[in-house]
Amino acid sequence: MTLSTMLSSMGEGMLRTCAIFFLTILFSMPLGMVIMFLRRSRFRLVREITKLYIAIMRGTPLMLQLLMWYFGPYYLFGMSIRGYRFPAIIIGFSMNYAAYFAEIYRGGIETIPKGQYEAAEVLGYSKAQTFFKIILPQVMKAILPSVTNEIITLVKDTSLAFTLAYNEMFSIAKQIAASQTSFVPFIIAGVFYFIANYAVAFVMERIEKAFDYYK
């Protein structure tokens, strides 16, 4: 098998890997914000349930969570899981990463002095205006390095989709390597992950500079 043939065979897998990545970011980051607010709720029961959820998501392997999201509906409710593989992957990744993003958001918000909330109230800002116009921009600047690390980790974690026999890029690379007795597919996969992470780091660096309003 020639190099061009390998690249062609792995091309569809690369697109599937990108789909997992972008859909996870699309769902997990906003969901993480919701979970963060629940984690900071004034109701103790809500806080404790949210803390338990975060502890489970962060304390168990993502591979195990993917298996539970995929097979859970069948074993618990007898539901058909035909055609459910990709949705289960997106749900599993999104729910897992939302827990991490929630803690990152919470850490950023807790660095903001309470005096800023009081000053905004004196100036007549509503709670929503205070959060979106004053607090959130500062929080985003503070948490961007941590968010970048999580996004880079996500790029590499997409390979865990093989757990559900989903043919993303790394799974196809393993199949070709086994059938052709060649290490080249792994090199191609490694280059893909490196380029993807380099692109993420480049974009996030530009975003950090955009928030660098103190200079």
Side-chain angles (χ1 to χ4, degrees):
M1 182 180 287
T2 63
L3 179 60
S4 60
T5 306
M6 285 186 183
L7 288 172
S8 178
S9 299
M10 296 174 66
E12 184 179 352
M14 292 178 183
L15 291 176
R16 291 179 175 181
T17 294
C18 290
I20 294 171
F21 172 78
F22 286 113
L23 288 175
T24 299
I25 292 296
L26 177 65
F27 294 123
S28 65
M29 296 191 76
L31 180 58
M33 187 68 69
V34 173
I35 294 171
M36 180 273 295
F37 282 121
L38 294 176
R39 174 71 173 78
R40 290 167 52 85
S41 171
R42 59 179 178 176
F43 300 107
R44 182 174 180 179
L45 179 60
V46 174
R47 290 200 310 269
E48 295 302 321
I49 292 175
T50 307
K51 286 170 63 177
L52 177 62
Y53 164 79
I54 292 173
I56 292 173
M57 292 295 105
R58 299 173 70 192
T60 57
L62 176 55
M63 185 182 298
L64 176 60
Q65 294 172 29
L66 290 172
L67 290 170
M68 292 181 64
W69 282 110
Y70 182 59
F71 292 107
Y74 173 76
Y75 287 114
L76 294 175
F77 309 110
M79 295 171 56
S80 172
I81 56 176
R82 180 174 298 178
Y84 178 59
R85 183 173 283 107
F86 185 68
I89 290 171
I90 300 304
I91 292 172
F93 273 95
S94 299
M95 298 298 286
N96 177 272
Y97 271 83
Y100 286 92
F101 284 129
E103 287 298 275
I104 292 174
Y105 297 153
R106 185 175 66 87
I109 285 181
E110 290 182 353
T111 63
I112 305 300
K114 291 184 178 180
Q116 295 203 24
Y117 293 92
E118 296 170 354
E121 186 178 357
V122 170
L123 292 173
Y125 282 86
S126 66
K127 290 184 178 180
Q129 289 175 324
T130 300
F131 179 77
F132 287 106
K133 292 185 177 181
I134 299 175
I135 304 303
L136 187 58
Q138 297 180 71
V139 170
M140 291 300 298
K141 176 178 171 58
I143 67 174
L144 275 174
S146 298
V147 169
T148 300
N149 288 336
E150 285 302 316
I151 294 176
I152 288 175
T153 300
L154 172 60
V155 173
K156 295 178 286 185
D157 277 353
T158 54
S159 62
L160 291 176
F162 84 91
T163 305
L164 301 185
Y166 186 74
N167 284 329
E168 43 71 53
M169 192 266 299
F170 189 67
S171 297
I172 294 176
K174 289 192 298 180
Q175 293 171 9
I176 296 175
S179 63
Q180 300 295 316
T181 319
S182 172
F183 194 71
V184 174
F186 292 125
I187 296 176
I188 295 174
V191 170
F192 169 80
Y193 285 120
F194 175 79
I195 293 175
N197 279 326
Y198 184 85
V200 167
F202 179 83
V203 171
M204 296 304 291
E205 183 180 355
R206 292 298 178 274
I207 294 175
E208 285 187 46
K209 289 184 178 179
F211 276 94
D212 196 10
Y213 45 76
Y214 288 115
K215 288 186 178 180

